[in-house]
Amino acid sequence: MKLFKRIAAAGLSAVLALTVAGCHSADAVVATYDDIKITSGVYLAMILEADGEARTEIDNQREDLTAAIEDYSKETVSTEDGDVKFYDYIKDGAKERIYQYIGTEVLAKKYEVKLSDEDVSGLDTYVNYYWNNYGYGMLYEPNGVGFDSYKDYIRNAGHLRGKVFTAIYGEDGANPVAEADIKKYMDENYCIANVITENFTSTDAEGATTTLTDDQKKEKLDALKALAERINNGEDFETVYHEYSGTKHEGADEETDEAATEETASETATEETASDTSTEAAEEEKELEPLDSHATLLSSAETGSESENFAEILKMAVGEVKVFENESNYTLVVKGDIDADPYYIDSLDETIRHALKGDEFNKLLVDEAKKLDIKFNEGELRYLSPKKVTYDVY
């Protein structure tokens, strides 16, 4: 599913369309192996995605962020193997996606991976939403990528590929990631903390922005330092937080009612064995939740989304309190113990597996496909040139 989310993110950020000159069938075959066929419609979706990736890479690599790029086709993309011309990068990327598509189908058969009814339902919901409500149909259909082609690509690159990954690297997979490696990655790239942040600027519902004066900033800083001192003197974050924010702990009354209900149920139970069985079943069905409802999950740059002050917070001892003076805010932090809460190793499991094995998996797909006798329609590939990508369709 993480691969699926990456596919979705690439499409959303690209927001571009592909125009193919003249009438052309989306059912024309671009590549085939055994009973696996990649139609021109699916290939166009691959080109579209590769084009978006190329533009994103160029944007990220340029030094002058203020100057707009007028013509991406004249740019190059920096890679580990050197600079690659814009259109060559797209063609290479689309070709790799062909291998990944076929590799996914082949490995799905090898590991007997199939989409469940729930997967199919989720695929239908996703595709229909983005096609009809998010505007994909308006962009894709007039430009060579029909609804069925888009759905087929998402089926393969999203749902099926994610299940193949799990079949190989999942907990019960053929080559599972070691639990020690997962924990090590979590401890190096994630941590939890109780956080109170005072921003220097705020925006109201009407869009008006307010900026704190120097005196107001000092008041906020002094207030956070006073809270830090109280916590260091033994007061718990829960009490300090709700007092400072003027809020009340949610669910306090409900928890009391639940406790009373559970006590009554326990007293009226007639069979101890039946009671234990039902309790165990309920616990299995209940999803894990964080032990500390106020804890904030922080992450490193390695994860793709670095939290402010992460490196410094990671080094703090559990229970240590610190006030950070940043350029745009002041932040009170109380370091938590991520290893003491089973919720995090459970909820981050899939994300960490992909972080550790994602590149290896993508290479595996390509390597497996390259071993096969894939038939490419070179004429069709030349016709579906990335030079026909345009933004002038909306």
Side-chain angles (χ1 to χ4, degrees), residues 22-95:
C23 297
H24 190 71
S25 172
D27 295 328
V29 176
V30 171
T32 181
Y33 170 74
D34 201 8
D35 60 344
I36 305 168
K37 294 181 180 180
I38 296 178
T39 65
S40 62
V42 171
Y43 180 66
L44 293 178
M46 295 174 177
I47 286 184
L48 189 152
E49 184 180 86
D51 184 289
E53 180 182 291
R55 293 169 190 264
T56 299
E57 287 295 321
I58 291 171
D59 287 339
N60 292 339
Q61 292 168 5
R62 62 194 175 109
E63 295 181 1
D64 185 4
L65 300 178
T66 60
I69 297 177
E70 296 182 1
D71 188 352
Y72 280 91
S73 67
K74 297 179 180 179
E75 302 292 328
T76 58
V77 182
S78 298
T79 70
E80 293 180 355
D81 299 322
D83 291 343
V84 180
K85 293 181 179 179
F86 180 70
Y87 288 129
D88 288 340
Y89 184 91
I90 296 172
K91 286 189 289 186
D92 292 344
K95 190 70 169 288

Side-chain angles (χ1 to χ4, degrees), residues 317-376:
V318 173
E320 184 178 350
V321 186
K322 203 169 190 177
V323 175
F324 290 92
E325 300 179 35
N326 303 310
E327 291 185 3
S328 61
N329 62 59
Y330 296 136
T331 305
L332 165 68
V333 174
V334 184
K335 177 72 176 293
D337 186 358
I338 195 170
D339 291 325
D341 191 339
Y343 167 81
Y344 294 101
I345 193 68
D346 179 76
S347 62
L348 291 170
D349 181 88
E350 185 180 357
T351 298
I352 293 176
R353 288 179 194 274
H354 279 285
L356 292 171
K357 295 295 183 178
D359 290 342
E360 177 183 310
F361 176 60
N362 288 331
K363 184 177 184 301
L364 173 65
L365 295 175
V366 174
D367 290 346
E368 289 297 308
K370 285 184 175 180
K371 297 175 184 177
L372 309 173
D373 184 22
I374 300 173
K375 305 297 184 183
F376 292 97

Side-chain angles (χ1 to χ4, degrees), residues 267-281:
E267 291 175 352
T268 57
T270 57
E271 295 185 19
E272 184 176 349
T273 302
S275 177
D276 290 343
T277 302
S278 62
T279 301
E280 290 174 3

